[in-house]
Amino acid sequence: YTIVILNNDTEGINETPEQVGNFVRLEVDKLNIYEVMDKYDVAYLIEKNDLNIQNCYGKICLQEVGSKLGVNKMLTGNIEAFGEQMVITLKVINLKNNTVEKNTVQEFLYIPKELQNMLKISINVLFDINNDTQLVKELTQKQALPSENNIDNYTNSIKANGTRVGFT
């Protein structure tokens, strides 16, 4: 099956939809589950067919674009920052029967520099591939070691300060 991955919607993070789309495309291509259409081929066909993919993140738009590109599946997603959390949603749309074939919603701690790992984890969940449990724990639980919440950014060492109780 051929799958097309366009841009992924982003809200509250620094990466652009194009950057996130490129990373998702790369990670899905590494899995060798689908034939991932090259971004340059997609760009060529979009220009040739005079398609507007600006803000094309929903099922209806993706079905229309995908059918004109002649592919079987489309993958879409979005990343939103909510306070101290980042939420990543991914969906695979089957264009033959116009259904959402697979989807996942993953919640992570707000650690922007770990976005690539978060996307990789989400993609693995989407395609039923096991993840590194320690990495998942570090990106989803506040007190997991080491994480953004307990690493000193200046010395790059784990913070061990806090209340201590002891007696002899």
Side-chain angles (χ1 to χ4, degrees):
Y1 290 105
T2 303
I3 192 167
V4 168
I5 301 162
L6 299 177
N7 303 333
N8 285 241
D9 192 22
T10 59
E11 291 183 37
I13 65 170
N14 291 330
E15 283 73 13
T16 65
E18 294 82 13
Q19 289 170 321
V20 174
N22 287 338
F23 184 75
V24 171
R25 189 177 305 106
L26 175 69
E27 287 300 315
V28 173
D29 203 14
K30 285 183 196 176
L31 297 176
N32 283 327
I33 295 172
Y34 298 109
E35 179 185 334
V36 179
M37 188 177 277
D38 183 74
K39 71 178 183 177
Y40 300 109
D41 291 337
V42 172
Y44 169 77
L45 290 171
I46 286 170
E47 187 177 320
K48 179 181 174 185
N49 291 303
D50 196 30
L51 299 173
N52 181 10
I53 62 163
Q54 190 73 14
N55 296 319
C56 185
Y57 307 117
K59 184 177 164 186
I60 295 170
C61 180
L62 291 169
Q63 287 172 335
E64 186 178 308
V65 170
S67 65
K68 290 183 180 176
L69 295 177
V71 296
N72 310 96
K73 300 177 189 282
M74 300 285 286
L75 190 147
T76 187
N78 70 309
I79 302 170
E80 283 187 82
F82 293 108
E84 294 183 9
Q85 284 197 319
M86 293 175 73
V87 178
I88 298 177
T89 305
L90 297 171
K91 296 178 186 175
V92 174
I93 299 171
N94 185 327
L95 299 177
K96 291 195 186 252
N97 55 16
N98 295 326
T99 60
V100 175
E101 186 175 276
K102 297 175 179 259
N103 69 331
T104 185
V105 178
Q106 300 294 309
E107 295 179 7
F108 298 96
L109 297 173
Y110 184 79
I111 310 172
K113 68 182 183 182
E114 291 293 335
L115 179 62
Q116 290 183 338
N117 282 326
M118 293 175 195
L119 284 167
K120 186 174 186 170
I121 289 168
S122 298
I123 290 165
N124 286 346
V125 169
L126 184 69
F127 295 112
D128 300 319
I129 297 170
N130 292 332
N131 280 302
D132 176 353
T133 54
Q134 182 61 34
L135 180 62
V136 172
K137 185 177 178 182
E138 290 171 5
L139 296 177
T140 59
Q141 297 176 12
K142 266 192 172 183
Q143 298 308 318
L145 293 176
S147 77
E148 181 77 11
N149 300 311
N150 58 12
I151 290 183
D152 188 323
N153 289 327
Y154 298 107
T155 63
N156 206 23
S157 60
I158 296 175
K159 295 178 190 175
N161 60 349
T163 308
R164 299 286 186 267
V165 175
F167 56 89
T168 57

